[in-house]
């Protein structure tokens, strides 16, 4: 006989861990108790030694679906002679630490949903400990029903009995409900008046089938939905939403439906089907019954499966018809998540609304991801992922809050060796998005019981997060650390891979504020969390008209042509409608034309020269289309480029892009197909990365490369750069847990701040 005191760390709360332990212990006839303690699970258990060993082995081998065990520690304690195994209430002074993202409906709940005999048959808000809403309904800590938007729905006797029964799948599942006690659907017309019907969902589905546009309240906000096969409906949705070309996501009934439309491998299947239920980018098959307007010119489709019982019922009610499911907003505004807001903002877009009375507390967009070479490459990490923790390779001496960037904003809270990266907050230029940022920072601090003692911001003086962090730090008398944008990108990728040694950081993105006040974005940094230097960068060119040049790649084409002193070419006729003269003057005089080394702008320039796109309707469109074109072509030779010392005042290298631009221009004059140009341009970027990394390795002996920055969302580029570097014997790391774009910035800022604080602590002691 012996008794063990066992402490389990990881994601072990709010995931059905205690009933699981209870069942396992009962099956093995072991006695003792289990309880939540702070963020951990504590077990005291006694019995025969060999059976206790078996208990631990089974516990680690088959934990509940959503649990993630990171550490199990145990020690022998005095035998107490318990007569049974029980679940003890958690100590109340410090309640459970909340960790769980929203979870797609589990197989058991779906089975009940469609089981005529089940008491939850057809109930759109069914859930259990293994699934259901979490982050989007939570209002405070500790995590229990009273502090969620389910607080106003007292459980009926049947639900309460399930909630109280340790052997039940719904034991202590905070949001459980049934048709007798839980939220209800209602159908509302465009004026906000309720449409009285006994079957709101069926009526909504019928409207969609007849070509109407509907708004449906999901987990983290409203979606706009329509028949994805109906060209007229999709076109109308685009017009009303003022969204010209940015692709819409679609929702399909099941994996078979996905496989009939898209190429699909095992890894993509498990992503689609997994608990996060993200939008997955998949290669579209030929001649599929999806309107071209869903994703114009796009070889990929963004696809998701139903993530809630409501969506399962809806897809069944439309008889498996593919549905456009795009965020409920006008243009790029934040997605509507409150009922009144949806009615106001989506008036004139949606013909009718399927809503319900369970409020969404945290606005949370769908996550978007794809598989590249068997690894996930996240484009947006949000619903289903946030606020799941990411392990840090170094300890935060005190709690830290990293405020992130400006676009695709996220923030990150750091404590001990964990980072809690927020959901996607969008473009903070929108006041509503910024409001959500401040509100959700406050919420996360409550949920994780963290009060930051240090803030981190980008070096950019005009980011909303910069102003916010500076103000708050002054008010609270705590330090605020300014981190260079590309250093943060690099550190973000390092942190994800647990790297602490110095690396070569290839950081290619659109724009970021450089240490010298110019706009960076084509950088080879050398360093670690503590420090970095700019070891190489793309040659600076002018951005005529500043940010306007981001929306109008033709301006960048002119800038690169002027820089390479290329005479006129066939693009002149294409650029006729534009103010070419004004732009040339800006370039000659260098006024309103800041210098940039951005790789994103080089992609834009090449796309415009090749005649692929002169103006963009959404961020990165020109580069994305360049990638699509290139993907269909066999690899070609790279264009020439130079690598030279940067000159006085700098010890770094400059990548001279002029030979490249000259050759691209030549080939355009020769009438070479845009796809060939696009392909050779990608090969050139890969070769630039390879050659410069080799030069830097020779100089420094550093053999590890991290690839970060929004440009590395380009699957072709990331795949080929990775292969080339590994072939050359480098260890090459790219993002898998956070997006390479500014959505991952806050994680890097956090790691840098942790390292900086450790340094200070060392110096002070
Ligand atoms: Zn479930
Ligand atoms: Zn009930
Ligand atoms: Fe960036």
């Amino acid at each position: 006989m012996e008794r063990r005191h066992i402490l389990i760390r990881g994601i072990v709360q709010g995931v059905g861990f205690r009933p699981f332990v209870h069942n396992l212990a009962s099956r093995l006839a072991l006695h003792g108790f289990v309880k939540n303690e702070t963020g951990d699970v504590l077990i005291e258990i006694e019995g025969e030694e060999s059976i206790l060993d078996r208990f631990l082995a089974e516990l680690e081998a088959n934990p509940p679906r959503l649990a993630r065990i990171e550490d199990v520690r145990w020690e022998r304690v005095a035998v107490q002679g318990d007569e049974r195994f029980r679940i003890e209430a958690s100590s109340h002074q410090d309640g459970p630490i909340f960790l769980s993202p929203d979870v797609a409906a589990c197989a058991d709940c779906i089975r009940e949903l469609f089981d005529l005999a089940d008491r939850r048959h057809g109930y759109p808000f069914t859930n259990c400990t293994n699934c259901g809403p979490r982050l989007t309904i939570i209002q405070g800590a500790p995590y229990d029903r009273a502090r969620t938007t389910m607080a106003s729905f007292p459980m009926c006797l049947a639900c309460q009995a399930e909630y109280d029964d340790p052997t039940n799948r719904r034991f202590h599942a905070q949001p459980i409900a049934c048709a007798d006690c839980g939220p209800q659907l209602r159908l509302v017309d465009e004026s906000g008046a309720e449409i009285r019907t006994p079957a709101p969902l069926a009526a909504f589905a019928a409207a969609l089938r007849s070509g109407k546009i509907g708004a449906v309240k999901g987990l983290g906000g409203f979606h706009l939905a329509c028949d994805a096969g109906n060209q007229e409906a999709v076109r109308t949705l685009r017009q009303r939403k003022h969204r010209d070309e940015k692709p819409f996501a679609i929702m399909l009934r099941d994996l078979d439906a996905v496989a009939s439309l898209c190429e699909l491998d095992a890894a993509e299947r498990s992503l689609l089907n997994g608990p996060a239920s993200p939008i997955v980018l998949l290669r579209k098959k030929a001649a599929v019954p999806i309107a071209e307007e869903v994703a114009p010119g796009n070889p990929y489709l963004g696809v998701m499966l139903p993530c809630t019982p409501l969506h399962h019922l809806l897809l069944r009610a439309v008889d498996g018809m593919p549905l456009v499911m795009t965020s409920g907003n006008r243009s790029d505004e934040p997605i509507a998540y409150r009922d009144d807001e949806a009615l106001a903002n989506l008036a004139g877009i949606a013909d009718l609304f399927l809503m319900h009375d369970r409020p969404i507390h945290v606005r949370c967009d769908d996550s978007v991801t794809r598989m590249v070479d068997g690894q996930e490459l996240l484009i947006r990490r949000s619903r289903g992922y946030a606020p799941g923790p990411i392990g840090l390779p170094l300890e935060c001496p005190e709690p830290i809050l990293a405020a992130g960037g400006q676009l695709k904003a996220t923030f990150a809270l750091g404590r001990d060796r964990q980072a809690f990266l927020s959901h996607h907050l969008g473009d903070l230029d929108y006041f509503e998005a910024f409001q959500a940022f401040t509100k959700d920072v406050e919420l996360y601090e409550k949920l994780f019981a963290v009060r930051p003692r240090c803030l981190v911001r980008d070096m950019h003086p005009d980011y909303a997060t910069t102003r916010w962090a500076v103000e708050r730090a002054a008010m609270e008398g705590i330090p605020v650390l300014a981190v260079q944008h590309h250093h943060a990108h690099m550190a973000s990728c390092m942190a994800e891979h647990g790297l602490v040694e110095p690396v070569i950081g290839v950081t290619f993105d659109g724009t970021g504020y450089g240490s010298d006040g110019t706009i960076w974005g084509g950088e080879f940094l050398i360093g670690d969390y503590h420090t970095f230097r700019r070891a190489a960068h793309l040659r600076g060119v002018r951005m005529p008209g500043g940010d306007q040049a981001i929306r109008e790649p033709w301006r960048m084409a002119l800038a690169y042509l002027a820089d390479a002193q290329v005479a006129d070419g066939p693009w002149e006729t294409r650029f006729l409608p534009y103010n070419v003269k004004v732009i040339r003057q800006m370039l000659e005089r260098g006024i309103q034309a800041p210098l940039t080394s951005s790789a994103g702008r080089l992609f834009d320039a090449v796309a415009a020269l090749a005649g692929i796109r002169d103006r963009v309707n959404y961020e990165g469109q020109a580069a994305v289309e360049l990638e699509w074109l290139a993907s269909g072509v066999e690899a070609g030779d790279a264009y020439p480029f130079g690598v030279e010392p940067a000159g006085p005042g700098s010890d770094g290298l400059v990548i001279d892009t002029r030979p490249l631009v000259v050759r691209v221009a030549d080939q355009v004059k020769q009438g070479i197909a845009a796809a060939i140009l696009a392909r050779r341009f990608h090969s050139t970027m890969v070769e630039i990365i390879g050659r410069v990394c080799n030069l830097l390795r020779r100089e420094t002996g550093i053999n590890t490369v991290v690839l970060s920055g929004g440009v590395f969302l380009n699957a072709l580029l990331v795949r080929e750069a990775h292969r080339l570097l590994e072939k050359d014997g480098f260890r090459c790391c790219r993002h898998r847990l956070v997006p390479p774009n500014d959505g991952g910035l806050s994680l890097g800022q956090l790691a840098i701040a942790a390292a900086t604080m450790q340094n200070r602590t060392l110096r002070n002691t």
Side-chain angles (χ1 to χ4, degrees), residues 402-425:
Q406 174 78 6
L407 304 174
K408 296 174 280 297
T410 62
F411 61 84
L413 264 185
R415 196 199 51 192
D416 305 329
R417 284 178 86 106
Q418 281 187 318
F420 304 104
L421 196 68
S422 79
H423 51 286
H424 167 89
L425 291 148

Side-chain angles (χ1 to χ4, degrees), residues 178-318:
C178 71
D180 293 333
C181 65
Q184 301 293 335
L185 286 177
R186 65 199 177 99
L187 194 63
V188 170
D189 71 14
E190 50 189 333
S191 71
E194 183 152 354
I195 303 170
R196 297 263 165 221
T197 160
L201 189 112
F204 185 75
L208 295 186
R209 291 174 78 159
S210 71
K212 291 270 196 287
I213 292 165
V216 53
K217 188 173 176 181
L219 267 175
F222 280 76
H223 282 122
L224 288 161
C226 72
D227 176 358
N230 182 336
Q231 194 182 11
E232 206 39 53
V234 182
R235 195 176 292 160
T236 307
L237 174 57
R238 279 209 178 274
Q239 279 162 3
R240 292 187 189 170
K241 204 172 134 85
H242 298 293
R243 181 140 143 179
D244 294 333
E245 281 166 321
K246 198 170 178 181
F248 289 148
I250 59 173
M251 185 177 277
L252 298 173
R253 174 188 204 151
D254 53 27
L255 284 174
D256 287 344
V258 181
S260 72
L261 298 179
C262 302
E263 309 293 339
L264 189 61
D265 66 20
E268 289 161 340
R269 280 173 187 270
S270 55
L271 263 186
L272 283 164
N273 227 357
S277 188
I279 296 169
V280 182
L281 290 195
L282 299 170
R283 194 165 263 280
K284 185 162 64 171
K285 286 185 174 168
V288 293
I290 296 291
E292 176 62 17
E293 284 78 2
V294 167
N298 195 330
Y300 298 91
L301 273 177
V303 179
M304 64 179 146
L305 293 180
C307 49
T308 73
L310 171 59
H311 293 98
H312 280 277
L313 291 168
L314 179 60
L315 268 287
R316 173 95 38 132
V318 294

Side-chain angles (χ1 to χ4, degrees), residues 65 104-110 126-132 169-170:
R65 173 175 182 240
C106 73
D108 290 329
C109 285
I110 299 309
T126 177
N127 63 78
C128 72
T129 38
N130 298 320
C131 74
R169 203 173 89 240
R170 295 194 165 86

Side-chain angles (χ1 to χ4, degrees), residues 119-120 154-160 162 176-182:
R119 74 182 193 92
R120 287 193 177 81
M155 276 182 243
C156 67
L157 288 176
C159 285
Q160 186 72 51
E162 293 170 322
I176 63 163
C178 71
D180 293 333
C181 65

